[in-house]
Amino acid sequence: MRKQIAAANWKMNLTLQKGEELLDAILAIPQELKTNQAAIFAVPFPYLAMAKQKVAGKQNVFIAAQNCYSKLNGAYTGETSVEMLQSLGIQYVIIGHSERREYFNESNQLLAEKVNICLENNITPIFCCGEALEIREANGQNAFVANQLEQSLFHLSAEEIVKVVIAYEPIWAIGTGKTATSNQAQEIHAFIRAEFAAKYGEAIANNISILYGGSVKANNAVELFSQPDVDGGLVGGASLNATEFVAIINALK
Ligand code: PGA
């Protein structure tokens, strides 16, 4: 089902204690999530169990990992498998964040394997795509994103693709305070949805959630999320502040 999602990406921030305090503060502020809405917290691996416990019994609130490995188990020192995540009750994992693509050389091919292993193990991938500034300046964003989708997702069946959440995150807007305008976001989200429609048909495309990421804040979330093809946001910096993030959750359609 196409959901409206506010997803927090804590990245490599906060200690266990600070993370607990932040979750407590957010969960203490009353917020009504409708059945088609979800709040997701992508926390660092060592905090997954704590976070999972904190949200136990909360409707439409989920915990995500920020990454996973492409193999099920074995001699891969330092890696985390989907089986491990599943054993903690984790239902979502961010796949292919631009920071992982850039600093850890994650290729479209590797990300296809990660998406596969998530789906095979009933974990929803939040698949990130998006272009760098030079590409945007040369107006090459559509072709660039289309290629990311093609290489990492288009091998999936229609039944599988509706289980994937997309996060479009222009790299030039991440952590820079430079948000895409709501028109820019709508334009490329509509393009992404059209790509899914061309490959899988309109009905499937209309069932896929496409989140926007890149300097989403309380003061721009309503405008961004009001766009017809923007189904919420993947939020870094502003997700580390309780009142900011609750305002972003409340900005969901
Ligand atoms: P930002 O990060 O909100 O700090 O720009 C977004 C992201 O990287 O997911």
Side-chain angles (χ1 to χ4, degrees):
M1 186 184 58
R2 181 159 160 196
K3 278 191 182 165
Q4 305 296 313
I5 299 172
N9 177 9
W10 288 5
K11 309 193 181 185
M12 197 176 76
N13 290 300
L14 307 172
T15 58
L16 177 64
Q17 292 73 21
K18 296 265 181 226
E20 285 192 282
E21 278 169 30
L22 177 60
L23 271 180
D24 284 339
I26 291 170
L27 297 172
I29 304 172
Q31 60 228 254
E32 284 267 314
L33 285 160
K34 301 187 198 130
T35 44
N36 70 325
Q37 296 177 338
I40 302 178
F41 296 89
V43 307
F45 288 127
Y47 312 160
L48 286 169
M50 171 282 286
K52 186 68 193 161
Q53 232 174 7
K54 292 256 179 229
V55 305
K58 299 269 176 196
Q59 286 296 313
N60 304 326
V61 181
F62 303 93
I63 302 303
Q66 297 173 11
N67 181 32
C68 68
Y69 197 48
S70 56
K71 302 278 193 287
L72 209 48
N73 53 47
Y76 304 102
T77 303
E79 291 298 326
T80 300
S81 74
V82 286
E83 219 170 46
M84 295 172 186
L85 298 178
Q86 225 189 15
S87 70
L88 287 168
I90 302 303
Q91 289 149 292
Y92 290 86
V93 57
I94 298 176
I95 297 292
H97 191 281
S98 59
E99 287 149 17
R100 296 221 51 95
R101 292 173 185 265
E102 183 181 347
Y103 307 136
F104 303 96
N105 296 318
E106 296 198 353
S107 66
N108 290 337
Q109 286 68 28
L110 173 73
L111 299 175
E113 288 175 35
K114 290 190 175 191
V115 166
N116 289 345
I117 205 153
C118 286
L119 292 172
E120 283 159 16
N121 291 278
N122 294 317
I123 290 190
T124 301
I126 301 173
F127 178 83
C128 301
C129 56
E131 79 289 350
L133 185 61
E134 315 83 78
I135 296 172
R136 172 64 65 159
E137 284 174 345
N139 201 28
Q141 65 274 13
N142 287 6
F144 184 83
V145 169
N147 184 56
Q148 289 180 318
L149 302 178
E150 158 109 44
Q151 295 200 359
S152 299
L153 298 180
F154 280 6
H155 62 284
L156 298 174
S157 67
E159 214 171 73
E160 290 167 329
I161 197 74
V162 283
K163 296 182 186 155
V164 178
V165 171
I166 307 298
Y168 166 71
E169 300 203 301
I171 298 168
W172 47 271
I174 296 177
T176 57
K178 213 171 147 187
T179 322
T181 64
S182 54
N183 282 345
Q184 282 175 321
Q186 169 55 26
E187 201 172 17
I188 192 150
H189 280 228
F191 169 77
I192 291 170
R193 201 176 302 285
E195 287 290 291
F196 285 119
K199 172 83 186 166
Y200 297 100
E202 293 269 338
I204 297 284
N206 283 330
N207 256 322
I208 297 177
S209 300
I210 308 176
L211 316 184
Y212 167 80
S215 299
V216 175
K217 310 274 180 231
N219 65 13
N220 58 27
V222 171
E223 161 91 21
L224 284 162
F225 299 173
S226 68
Q227 300 302 311
D229 287 298
V230 178
D231 302 310
L234 179 56
V235 187
S239 75
L240 300 173
N241 177 292
T243 45
E244 275 276 316
F245 191 63
V246 169
I248 291 168
I249 295 174
N250 289 333
L252 292 173
K253 289 196 269 281

